[in-house]
Amino acid sequence: MTEGGHRRVVLSGGIGAGKSAVARSIEARGIPVIHADTIGHAVLEPEGEAFHAVCAWWPEVLVDGHIDRFRLARIVFEDPQALRQLESMTHPAIAARIINLVAAEEEADLVVVELPLLLPILGDGWTRVVVDAPLEIRKQRLVGRGMDEADIEARMAAQPSPQEWTDAAEFVIDNSGLPEDLESEVDRLLDWLEAHSS
């Protein structure tokens, strides 16, 4: 769980489960959280490590000098082979940036990475925490964000099943209730991490 003085946690779970809400709650307590999605966007920017490879492979996603992530998502979430291709182009750069950011948090006892993947792209030594919620609740949240049902279904189909997420977890956060319930779940997580810090 520790390396270089850090307790290192990967916070993951399926789309709509509530990873971001948990991450915000953790950040509000003064604990550093690194958001892999933000880094994933950065590596696709024109100066990013994956920009040229992605544009060469899918030239149709280049719009006005930038990658249209919506177009790219439409392609990869409907084609598992395309998704694997994109991951091979982006994951090494994302992982390298995360490792550098974690190393920079020298004073932090605990560092959390919000990472919507089961793949162990960060290597060993991480505690995996998974946020879980019933499928219908997750779908309702995503519709509330403005996503259409076809896009929701495609993205969920491209991700591990709820069982796969929870089977991989060392700790599961239940996000099926109210916001105040989630705060209690975060308290429970932090207590558990403290108890297992040795």
Side-chain angles (χ1 to χ4, degrees):
M1 182 185 291
T2 62
E3 182 170 300
H6 297 307
R7 284 178 289 155
R8 304 186 304 166
V9 172
V10 169
L11 177 67
S12 57
I15 187 170
K19 294 180 301 300
S20 296
V22 172
R24 286 193 296 271
S25 177
I26 292 171
E27 282 183 304
R29 298 157 195 253
I31 297 166
V33 178
I34 296 164
H35 303 275
D37 274 349
T38 301
I39 296 171
H41 292 168
V43 303
L44 292 174
E45 291 295 326
E47 67 280 5
E49 298 93 322
F51 177 80
H52 294 292
V54 170
C55 292
W57 199 269
W58 296 289
E60 66 272 27
V61 305
L62 185 62
V63 178
D64 296 330
H66 288 79
I67 290 173
D68 185 321
R69 291 197 302 272
F70 181 77
R71 289 189 184 189
L72 183 59
R74 284 287 191 186
I75 292 169
V76 301
F77 288 118
E78 293 175 1
D79 181 349
Q81 188 172 348
L83 180 58
R84 286 192 295 272
Q85 180 65 39
L86 178 64
E87 289 172 344
S88 73
M89 296 171 175
T90 57
H91 284 180
I94 292 169
R97 288 197 185 204
I98 289 173
I99 295 300
N100 287 337
L101 288 170
V102 170
E105 293 287 352
E106 295 177 357
E107 303 302 317
D109 293 326
L110 171 64
V111 180
V112 176
V113 176
E114 182 190 356
L115 180 72
L117 296 170
L118 266 185
L119 296 171
I121 69 168
L122 300 178
D124 298 327
W126 293 81
T127 299
R128 183 175 293 275
V129 174
V130 167
V131 185
D132 189 39
L135 204 57
E136 284 309 310
I137 291 178
R138 291 168 56 196
K139 288 180 179 178
Q140 288 170 13
R141 290 172 181 159
L142 296 170
V143 169
R145 292 185 208 166
M147 291 179 65
D148 66 65
E149 292 199 16
D151 193 22
I152 292 168
E153 294 292 342
R155 290 180 184 239
M156 285 186 168
Q159 291 190 335
S161 68
Q163 189 68 47
E164 288 174 305
W165 283 117
T166 55
D167 283 351
E170 294 172 67
F171 188 96
V172 176
I173 290 179
D174 176 8
N175 189 24
S176 59
L178 299 171
E180 53 266 35
D181 298 323
L182 185 60
E183 290 299 316
S184 296
E185 284 290 284
V186 173
D187 288 337
R188 191 170 67 88
L189 166 65
L190 296 178
D191 288 344
W192 181 86
L193 287 169
E194 184 63 32
H196 292 78
S197 62
S198 58

